[in-house]
């Protein structure tokens, strides 16, 4: 079965998993604190959707 992906579906996913995404983002921020060579990418949020 294929799920039709549209903006409503993405919004529902974000609402359902908002707490988990917040925790992951906080961990990512911790990894990006200097000194590190890691840099946030502009497509990081897009990657969450895909």
């Amino acid at each position: 079965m294929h799920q039709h992906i549209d903006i409503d579906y993405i919004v529902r996913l974000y609402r359902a998993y908002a707490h988990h995404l917040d925790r992951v983002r906080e961990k990512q921020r911790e990894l990006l604190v200097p000194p590190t060579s890691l840099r946030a990418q502009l497509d990081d949020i897009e990657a969450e959707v895909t």
Side-chain angles (χ1 to χ4, degrees):
M1 180 177 144
H2 290 96
Q3 171 66 47
H4 179 72
I5 298 176
D6 58 13
I7 192 68
D8 291 328
Y9 179 70
I10 293 170
V11 168
R12 285 193 309 272
L13 286 175
Y14 265 90
R15 287 181 178 156
Y17 298 101
H19 176 72
H20 300 287
L21 290 170
D22 288 340
R23 291 178 58 200
V24 169
R25 286 186 190 119
E26 184 58 36
K27 292 296 182 184
Q28 287 175 337
R29 285 185 197 104
E30 291 173 11
L31 289 172
L32 297 173
V33 173
T36 182
S37 61
L38 298 174
R39 293 179 186 249
Q41 300 294 311
L42 295 175
D43 62 351
D44 283 350
I45 299 297
E46 180 183 324
E48 293 175 4
V49 174
T50 58

